[in-house]
Amino acid sequence: MSSPRHGPRHRGDSTTRTGPHAATGDPDAPTGPIEIDPRPTGRHRGGGEDDPGHGDPPTAPDGGHPDTAHADAEQADAPGPAGPEHVHPTDTPTLTGHGHGHGHGPAPHADRRVRIAIAALLVPAAVATLVGLVLLFPFVRAEALDGAAALPRVTGTVAATAQSDCSPGEGDRGCAALTVRLTGGDAAGTSIVTLVSVVRGVSPFTTGDEVTLSVDGDIADPESYQIVDFQREVPLLVLALLFAAAVIALGRFRGLAALGSLVVTGVVLVGFVLPAILAGRDPLLVAVVGCTAIMFCALYLTHGFSSRTSTAVLGTFGSLVLIGVLGVAFAAASRLTGADEDTASLANTLGTAVDGRGLVLAGLMIGALGALDDVTVTQTSAVWELRAADPALRPAALFSAAMRIGRDHVASAVNTLVLAYAGAALPLLLLFSVAERGLADTLTSQVIATEVVRTLVGSIGLVAAVPLTTALAVVVSTRGRIGR
């Protein structure tokens, strides 16, 4: 029998449980013992004492079937594959406001209006990038360079070394005579002798070294050959394979996509940025178009087409604009001309004027792009994961939690950027240290000031990317819904 006041009486071996409203939760129910079956069913594993038994199905209080009376409760309490252990609905004191699925829920999906707003911002930028690629691309191939850079090169192996005078009869013994066996080119298999300068009595090349030689003249004349560098193809290839294996081992499919985006980045730099600058296009404009193209391709290829990725793209694009504006302003205010030895050598080789300041700004934007991608993707992912873990989190609290992550990240990212530029300028820093020039004098010199502007402008862009991307991610994620 079942009673409207006491609920169904369960059959089988019983265990008593005392206390007011212990099983039914009915405020009018008596406080005496109530019989329950302690055996769990297959559906409600872990339900403990409060699970119904396996006896004859009881009758619902209204005379209907209990499955109908409790259908909604059973559907709401059925855990998913990754959900927590089931808790019976009568155990109300043990439930919490967000007891199901913390950290396991799907990412929020932006609603239609948010997606339209994102598209309204990104589609024109993508179209402008495509137009810029077409307008700036040098469809006419640049003329071949003259001079040492255009000389043909062959490979060889150093067979023997000996001290020698740099010029016959000098007696200074300031050079090394290298016997090189040629392994490439039309004269492969023959040996030639060439001179190289020694540094403090030590030759930069030793027996067994694989070297590259330039050929200026008759290939049969040993004086036509000059050693220009070591052969580094094999160690660099091995290092690249190790890098690819490490990325794929950790990231798997995502790592493979990251390698694909790296290839795209190389194609844009080598196939568009460098030829366009060599063809006389404005370096800053070329860098802006190239960086935007890399940003779209790398982020969407690596992370897929989603509102999350689009938010990271927006944050990266906004930070790039800020870096470009600050770079132009402070390069002009600091009178940075970019007229250093490298720029002069490039202009001499090209036989035309080169915009040194434009090259400085182009290098600034390209160098900062990689760090920006890292910061914006991390911040967007942090907001999405926090939102998925606690869908009830208010936007202000979500922004504050993500900013705590961003502050830690940007501190290390800025330090990384500073150390990267300092490492690139280390030989110059050593030279200034030997010259015993003051700190202010050193920092304000043309070469060092260029690195200072690059470092500080890039760092400001990184710092600004954190709140900008976090705010965008909060707006997009909180305007969406949690669902698959």
Side-chain angles (χ1 to χ4, degrees), residues 56-79:
D56 295 336
T59 305
D62 58 357
H65 196 278
D67 288 343
T68 303
H70 299 286
D72 292 340
E74 288 180 355
Q75 183 178 2
D77 292 337

Side-chain angles (χ1 to χ4, degrees), residues 213-236:
L213 304 92
S214 62
V215 184
D216 185 11
D218 187 2
I219 61 173
D221 183 4
E223 294 185 358
S224 299
Y225 293 88
Q226 183 70 37
I227 296 179
V228 293
D229 211 342
F230 290 96
Q231 296 181 42
R232 300 185 177 92
E233 291 84 356
V234 173
L236 291 180

Side-chain angles (χ1 to χ4, degrees), residues 36 58 137 306:
I36 58 175
F137 187 82
S306 65

Side-chain angles (χ1 to χ4, degrees), residues 276-322:
I277 293 177
L278 291 175
R281 309 292 196 271
D282 181 75
L284 179 58
L285 187 57
V286 170
V288 169
V289 174
C291 286
T292 308
I294 291 172
M295 175 190 70
F296 278 113
C297 295
L299 290 179
Y300 281 118
L301 179 59
T302 303
H303 304 284
F305 289 87
S306 65
S307 299
R308 180 190 299 201
T309 305
S310 297
T311 303
V313 171
L314 282 174
T316 304
F317 185 74
S319 301
L320 272 178
V321 171
L322 176 62

Side-chain angles (χ1 to χ4, degrees), residues 120-182:
L121 293 173
L122 291 183
V123 170
V127 172
T129 301
L130 291 176
V131 173
L133 289 172
V134 173
L135 294 179
L136 296 176
F137 187 82
F139 291 98
V140 178
R141 186 177 179 85
E143 296 181 1
L145 300 178
D146 295 328
L151 293 176
R153 297 194 176 190
V154 296
T155 57
T157 302
V158 178
T161 63
Q163 285 188 334
S164 173
D165 295 337
C166 294
S167 297
E170 284 189 357
D172 56 358
R173 314 295 285 179
C175 289
L178 305 182
T179 301
V180 181
R181 182 174 179 80
L182 301 179

